[in-house]
Amino acid sequence: GAVVSQHPSWVICKSGTSVKIECRSLDFQATTMFWYRQFPKQSLMLMATSNEGSKATYEQGVEKDKFLINHASLTLSTLTVTSAHPEDSSFYICSARDRQGIYEQYFGPGTRLTVT
Amino acid sequence: KQEVTQIPAALSVPEGENLVLNCSFTDSAIYNLQWFRQDPGKGLTSLLLIQSSQREQTSGRLNASLDKSSGRSTLYIAASQPGDSATYLCAVSLAYAASKLTFGTGTRLQVTL
């Protein structure tokens, strides 16, 4: 149980284009999902918290117009990187909290984004 | 602002050794602490979760302890195996923001034959 998937697992895009990453909770309902980014050999940094049916809450320093988050259902959240630049290349990981859980987060396998 | 530090940053041990990974945090008002494993290029696998009211949790060869007052947690791995090679991350959530995790810097473990 408690499986979270991400799609795609890796993506290469050209500078200036937009990329959408999906995060799904497969066997539970997630009222809250989280988006993290991880640079090589560094730890995870929380980008934003996504609540179903409401606007995402972004961490300080994260541009909300650049990283668009939509949490349209209890099992799906999407992160769209708009007008991507090479410095946006990173490993993006989502997590989901079971609505009946004890604040434990279940993590997806991550998406490797490379912007050329 | 919560800061989480892990020592050592990297560790190499021969197979069979018992080892201890350390995690320290600056704000002791935590809700829970989790230990994760991350293989290269992969997501996170949750290993153990300790609630703030607990002192330790065990799963197989893994034992995690929590000393909230001193801001420390340790992950003990018994009889290490090459398959244990990975990066180990600890993460804490604060009591007033229980759903937000702050991650440590990680310990890269290599277990050699």
Side-chain angles (χ1 to χ4, degrees):
Chain A
V3 178
V4 176
S5 70
Q6 279 184 243
H7 178 80
S9 56
W10 60 270
V11 58
I12 301 173
C13 71
K14 292 189 175 180
S15 189
T17 61
S18 296
V19 175
K20 181 185 284 188
I21 302 170
E22 291 185 349
C23 177
R24 293 182 184 272
S25 56
L26 299 185
D27 51 3
F28 66 99
Q29 292 184 325
T31 50
T32 305
M33 290 184 170
F34 305 86
W35 288 96
Y36 297 83
R37 68 188 297 181
Q38 184 179 34
F39 291 108
K41 298 190 177 181
Q42 293 188 26
S43 194
L44 278 73
M45 297 296 293
L46 179 65
M47 298 175 65
T49 301
S50 164
N51 292 297
E52 186 264 338
S54 63
K55 290 184 178 180
T57 303
Y58 291 81
E59 295 300 299
Q60 193 172 10
V62 178
E63 299 176 58
K64 59 183 177 183
D65 294 331
K66 180 169 187 60
F67 298 99
L68 301 179
I69 292 172
N70 183 276
H71 193 159
S73 76
L74 286 172
T75 59
L76 173 64
S77 176
T78 60
L79 168 68
T80 301
V81 183
T82 63
S83 187
H85 291 286
E87 57 265 31
D88 298 324
S89 299
S90 187
F91 193 53
Y92 292 86
I93 304 178
C94 74
S95 70
R97 184 170 73 83
D98 190 330
R99 65 187 305 183
Q100 298 180 1
I102 52 172
Y103 289 103
E104 183 171 3
Q105 294 182 29
Y106 303 99
F107 284 78
T111 296
R112 171 75 57 194
L113 170 63
T114 302
V115 184
T116 60
Chain B
K1 179 187 171 186
Q2 177 76 279
E3 292 185 5
V4 183
T5 306
Q6 291 184 243
I7 294 174
L11 181 64
S12 181
V13 300
E15 181 180 15
E17 272 203 12
N18 303 324
L19 57 101
V20 175
L21 307 181
N22 298 290
C23 172
S24 61
F25 44 94
T26 54
D27 189 338
S28 62
I30 66 169
Y31 183 78
N32 63 35
L33 182 146
Q34 284 185 261
W35 282 94
F36 295 90
R37 168 191 173 131
Q38 185 177 31
D39 292 291
K42 304 292 184 182
L44 275 65
T45 301
S46 180
L47 299 174
L48 291 164
L49 181 149
I50 310 177
Q51 299 284 6
S52 62
S53 58
Q54 297 174 323
R55 298 286 298 206
E56 66 176 347
Q57 283 284 346
T58 298
S59 176
R61 295 182 293 108
L62 305 179
N63 175 277
S65 67
L66 174 65
D67 185 343
K68 204 171 61 168
S69 60
S70 67
R72 293 180 183 176
S73 176
T74 60
L75 178 67
Y76 175 82
I77 302 177
S80 58
Q81 303 171 358
D84 295 330
S85 299
T87 295
Y88 290 81
L89 296 163
C90 72
V92 298
S93 62
L94 290 170
Y96 55 84
S99 59
K100 292 178 64 171
L101 288 176
T102 301
F103 280 84
T105 46
T107 294
R108 232 170 16 259
L109 172 66
Q110 183 171 11
V111 181
T112 58
L113 290 169

